[in-house]
Amino acid sequence: MTTARRDTYTPETLLSVAVRVFNERGYDGTSMEHLSRAAGISKSSIYHHVTGKEELLRRAVSRALDGLFGILDEEPARVGRAAGRLEHVVRRMVEVLIAELPYVTLLLRVRGNTDTERWALERRREFDHRVAGLMKEAAADGDIRGDVEVRLATRLVFGMVNSIVEWYRPDGRGMGEREVAEAVVRLVFSGLREG
Amino acid sequence: MTTARRDTYTPETLLSVAVRVFNERGYDGTSMEHLSRAAGISKSSIYHHVTGKEELLRRAVSRALDGLFGILDEEPARVGRAAGRLEHVVRRMVEVLIAELPYVTLLLRVRGNTDTERWALERRREFDHRVAGLMKEAAADGDIRGDVEVRLATRLVFGMVNSIVEWYRPDGRGMGEREVAEAVVRLVFSGLREG
């Protein structure tokens, strides 16, 4: 019976349970015991799939980071004027954040106490740096305003985008990812003011 | 000697130590023992000032909430067209957030497990609601765009403003509160796009 139950658990299912528990209890506050109870399988069954909770964290934040870095490889992020590429990246960041909500939420909460967390923070900084580079290029082209320092503007735009994890719930009744992405692009590029 | 040490502790000093510890360990993760060690005074000396950690939390979030609600009573937030009042409120929110950084940080991290936390969340919602009301009025005046739903726009603007607690550090070298507030106002009302 144990074998049968374990076999229904793929690494994917285990990962999604782990991400939910990490987001609820915090990574530091999660033990293998918590994961075992939430997944309904024994700790040794979990060790059948992964070396421990840090591997689950690494897989989870990798999924978020792969989604984000994947955006930079998309054609509209590579071709054309920097301002247009930046707009594509901002729109797709919102879409990826919503499509991979629990994974990106976890990534954004990583604090840096373990090697995996430090690596994730490093990768996040690299992504931010790439987007700041695009913004700098767009400012040099004269397409975006020069009176707000690029690093500050990048932080504020990331602040707006990342805050979506605090309230967005995929309950089927609310807004879809495209509607939220469109609103963010409008506000970020044109602001609230009419006309 | 104990009396002498205790006497150097005003409720104000104790409050600022408590806020620092709450922000570092989380409110749930903070015990009176932690507060006693951080403040360098005995638990009974703390009880001389307050009934317990929940009172410290209440005082701390009250300070943040008083700062925020105080904005709504300022003349430029009460007089004139809604769009102008909204601009004043957004600018002052950034300034208050930076001036009361640890207190607002704590307020934004409150989760709702105790009566005090639920009360703080309720007050935050009330503040958000007041700002959303201003935005609605400005949209009805035709001064701000009608193509982004007011509730969504409010959430995104709050997301940008509140994200400042994640990176702003008052180290004297960096940007002042007025510079950050000016950048937020420019981005929120006019967006990144040049011209």
Side-chain angles (χ1 to χ4, degrees):
Chain A
M1 287 306 284
T2 308
T3 312
R5 276 190 84 185
R6 188 176 63 197
D7 283 348
T8 64
Y9 260 82
T10 64
E12 268 312 289
T13 344
L14 179 58
L15 189 63
S16 71
V17 171
V19 168
R20 179 168 53 75
V21 180
F22 290 156
N23 281 331
E24 281 167 11
R25 313 187 65 98
Y27 175 69
D28 288 340
T30 302
S31 65
M32 287 299 275
E33 185 60 36
H34 294 132
L35 293 177
S36 154
R37 257 183 278 144
I41 58 175
S42 68
K43 280 195 267 185
S44 66
S45 298
I46 297 181
Y47 285 119
H48 174 78
H49 294 296
V50 291
T51 57
K53 70 169 189 165
E54 195 166 346
E55 185 181 336
L56 287 165
L57 178 69
R58 189 176 177 102
R59 287 192 192 182
V61 296
S62 289
R63 180 158 156 174
L65 287 163
D66 289 350
L68 292 170
F69 277 94
I71 296 170
L72 304 175
D73 294 329
E74 292 168 0
E75 192 174 312
R78 289 184 291 104
V79 179
R81 288 178 81 85
R85 288 186 280 139
L86 179 64
E87 182 174 322
H88 176 79
V89 170
V90 170
R91 183 187 308 277
R92 293 282 298 127
M93 274 171 63
V94 176
E95 289 174 0
V96 166
L97 179 147
I98 290 179
E100 304 286 359
L101 194 65
Y103 299 90
V104 177
T105 302
L106 183 63
L107 175 67
L108 294 177
R109 291 187 183 163
V110 154
R111 282 294 166 261
N113 298 320
T114 62
D115 282 348
T116 298
E117 288 171 277
R118 281 186 287 273
W119 164 82
L121 283 177
E122 188 48 50
R123 294 281 285 157
R124 260 189 74 186
R125 267 194 292 272
E126 195 184 324
F127 184 77
D128 295 6
H129 191 73
R130 296 275 298 272
V131 178
L134 260 183
M135 209 177 281
K136 209 166 187 167
E137 222 183 299
D141 290 344
D143 291 338
I144 69 171
R145 59 192 314 144
D147 62 356
V148 175
E149 201 237 324
V150 164
R151 216 183 48 172
L152 176 55
T154 309
R155 279 175 161 157
L156 293 172
V157 171
F158 271 94
M160 179 182 279
V161 171
N162 292 342
S163 73
I164 295 169
V165 303
E166 302 298 331
W167 56 266
Y168 189 87
R169 294 298 168 261
D171 58 6
R173 288 176 298 128
M175 289 161 289
E177 59 200 54
R178 279 173 193 262
E179 186 181 346
V180 180
E182 184 56 35
V184 170
V185 165
R186 284 180 189 168
L187 289 187
V188 164
F189 288 90
S190 311
L192 272 178
R193 195 168 282 126
E194 181 61 71
Chain B
M1 288 306 283
T2 308
T3 312
R5 275 190 85 186
R6 188 178 62 195
D7 283 348
T8 65
Y9 259 82
T10 64
E12 266 314 288
T13 343
L14 179 59
L15 189 63
S16 72
V17 171
V19 168
R20 178 168 53 73
V21 180
F22 290 156
N23 280 331
E24 280 166 14
R25 314 186 65 97
Y27 176 69
D28 288 341
T30 301
S31 64
M32 287 298 277
E33 184 61 36
H34 294 131
L35 293 177
S36 154
R37 257 183 278 143
I41 56 174
S42 67
K43 279 194 269 184
S44 65
S45 299
I46 297 182
Y47 285 120
H48 174 78
H49 294 297
V50 292
T51 57
K53 70 169 189 165
E54 195 166 345
E55 184 181 335
L56 287 164
L57 178 69
R58 189 176 177 103
R59 287 191 191 183
V61 296
S62 289
R63 181 160 155 171
L65 287 163
D66 289 349
L68 293 170
F69 276 95
I71 297 169
L72 303 177
D73 293 330
E74 292 169 358
E75 190 173 313
R78 289 184 291 107
V79 179
R81 288 179 80 86
R85 288 185 279 140
L86 179 65
E87 183 174 320
H88 176 78
V89 169
V90 169
R91 182 187 309 276
R92 293 284 296 128
M93 273 170 64
V94 176
E95 290 174 359
V96 166
L97 180 146
I98 290 179
E100 303 288 357
L101 194 64
Y103 299 90
V104 177
T105 302
L106 183 63
L107 175 67
L108 295 176
R109 291 186 183 162
V110 154
R111 280 299 166 257
N113 298 320
T114 61
D115 282 346
T116 297
E117 287 171 277
R118 280 185 289 274
W119 164 81
L121 284 177
E122 186 48 50
R123 294 282 284 159
R124 261 189 73 189
R125 266 194 294 272
E126 195 183 323
F127 184 78
D128 295 7
H129 190 72
R130 296 276 297 273
V131 178
L134 260 183
M135 208 178 279
K136 210 166 187 169
E137 223 183 301
D141 290 343
D143 291 339
I144 69 171
R145 59 193 314 144
D147 62 356
V148 174
E149 201 238 323
V150 165
R151 217 181 49 171
L152 176 54
T154 308
R155 278 173 161 158
L156 293 171
V157 170
F158 271 95
M160 179 181 279
V161 170
N162 292 341
S163 72
I164 296 168
V165 304
E166 302 298 331
W167 56 266
Y168 188 87
R169 293 297 167 265
D171 59 5
R173 290 177 296 128
M175 289 161 290
E177 57 200 55
R178 278 171 194 263
E179 187 181 345
V180 180
E182 185 56 36
V184 169
V185 165
R186 284 181 188 166
L187 289 188
V188 163
F189 289 91
S190 311
L192 273 177
R193 195 167 284 127
E194 182 61 71

